[in-house]
Each structure stands twice: as structure tokens, then as C-alpha cells.
Amino acid sequence: DYFDPLDPVPELSQIIKNIHAIFVRFKDGDLKNIASKIRIQTTVGESYFLSIAKLRALRLLVDFLLDQWKIDRNDTRIPIAVVLDARTQSKDKNYNKIKATTQAMSAVIAGADELCIHASDAFTDGAGSSFDKRIALNIQHLLQLESYLDRVVDPAAGSYYVEQLTDELAERAWKGV
């Protein structure tokens, strides 16, 4: 399903509903084992702070759901994979590179476990040229090896705006479940 990137609440609610449905279906089984097989895949939008808050809210909601099902979340972590949506690319490859970098940075700051960045010309060239695929890979390397964002537990912690937005999204999404 395609969800409005400016209103992530319906998507967050749907993800939590889907995970809950899995737990209901297999409630007589080993829920810890079942939870360990789940992988969430989502996208981030062009709104930098909203994207950070969306993924942080998703983590809060998943942890709350695990608590509700009495699944020890210290032993079980459901990974969140972020795929930058190639459908939002423009025809300007250089703009796409900049946009992919900021979207990737918002995903990493928010605590995404996996990240997939498409080549900046994937929109116009199908799979993308080998050069632009290499640049997409280098974005991840820059964030990890030069910005050291992988070494900070929660870079957005303490930011009043991001914390407030995260809590608001999580609360609204939970009401939609």
C-alpha cells in the first residue's frame, strides 16, 4: 500500500495491526520465535524531522506491542528496514542524490536497522547506472564511516521537537489500532 508521507499515522497503525494479527494467529506458539522472524519495511519521506519521528514512533509502538504480548524485547528485536522510495525521485539526478542523503540520514538518526538507497537515476534509467549505484552505496558509507552515526545510540534524543512529534505520532497511531 502507498501511504501519504506527510501523514504517517495510518501506515504506523497498519504495521502494528499486522504484527498484532500475526501474534493472534500464532498465540499458542512460541511468540518470541515468531517475533524474531518479523521484519518491518517502510519508507521515509522528504520531511526530515517527520521521518525521524515516524521511525522512532514505530520503534516505540513495536516495543509497546511486544510488552503487551509479554515478549521480552531485550531478547527480541524486530528490525526496521528503510527503503528509499524510487517513486519519489525527480528527473534531476543531482537533486536525487541530495534528497537520498538527507532521507538516509533521517533513517539512520531514527534508528533504522537496515537501509536501502536506490541509484539517483533509477527513475529514468530503470535499475540505474553503475556510477549512480556506487554513489548510493557511498552515501551509506559516508554516514557510517565519516559521520559516525552508527556509534551514537539515539542521536535525536533530547530534541524537544523530535521527541514531541514522536510521542504525538505514536499516540495517534495507537488510537488507530
Side-chain angles (χ1 to χ4, degrees):
D1 290 338
Y2 182 76
F3 292 96
D4 180 3
L6 296 176
D7 184 15
V9 171
E11 180 184 8
L12 294 172
S13 294
Q14 189 61 51
I15 290 169
I16 297 305
K17 284 179 190 176
N18 291 346
I19 296 170
H20 177 71
I22 291 169
F23 291 158
V24 167
R25 183 171 180 201
F26 298 104
K27 66 182 174 204
D28 295 329
D30 180 6
L31 289 180
K32 180 181 169 187
N33 185 38
I34 290 167
S36 70
K37 307 259 189 269
I38 296 173
R39 180 178 168 266
I40 299 169
Q41 183 173 315
T42 188
T43 61
V44 290
E46 294 182 8
S47 177
Y48 183 73
F49 293 113
L50 184 61
S51 295
I52 294 171
K54 171 190 169 183
L55 296 177
R56 293 178 86 236
L58 180 56
R59 176 62 59 206
L60 285 175
L61 291 165
V62 167
D63 287 348
F64 184 69
L65 186 64
L66 291 173
D67 287 345
Q68 296 300 306
W69 280 91
K70 309 235 183 306
I71 301 170
D72 185 7
R73 58 186 160 112
N74 293 322
D75 293 338
T76 306
R77 182 172 172 91
I78 296 177
I80 298 173
V82 175
V83 178
L84 301 189
D85 194 353
R87 294 177 295 179
T88 65
Q89 287 188 341
S90 73
K91 294 184 182 195
D92 183 349
K93 294 186 335 182
N94 293 324
Y95 172 75
N96 291 339
K97 290 175 183 126
I98 293 168
K99 185 169 87 169
T101 302
T102 58
Q103 287 177 322
M105 191 168 154
S106 68
V108 171
I109 287 174
D113 298 297
E114 300 172 25
L115 179 63
C116 176
I117 303 172
H118 294 284
S120 61
D121 60 352
F123 177 76
T124 56
D125 199 19
S129 67
S130 60
F131 175 76
D132 286 324
K133 286 180 185 178
R134 176 70 183 181
I135 295 297
L137 182 61
N138 284 348
I139 291 170
Q140 296 180 49
H141 290 157
L142 283 169
L143 293 176
Q144 180 183 17
L145 303 173
E146 294 188 25
S147 300
Y148 300 110
L149 288 176
D150 64 323
R151 296 184 184 178
V152 182
V153 174
D154 189 359
S159 166
Y160 176 79
Y161 177 68
V162 173
E163 296 277 358
Q164 187 71 20
L165 189 55
T166 299
D167 292 343
E168 179 186 328
L169 290 176
E171 185 178 313
R172 286 178 45 217
W174 189 256
K175 284 181 184 176
V177 174

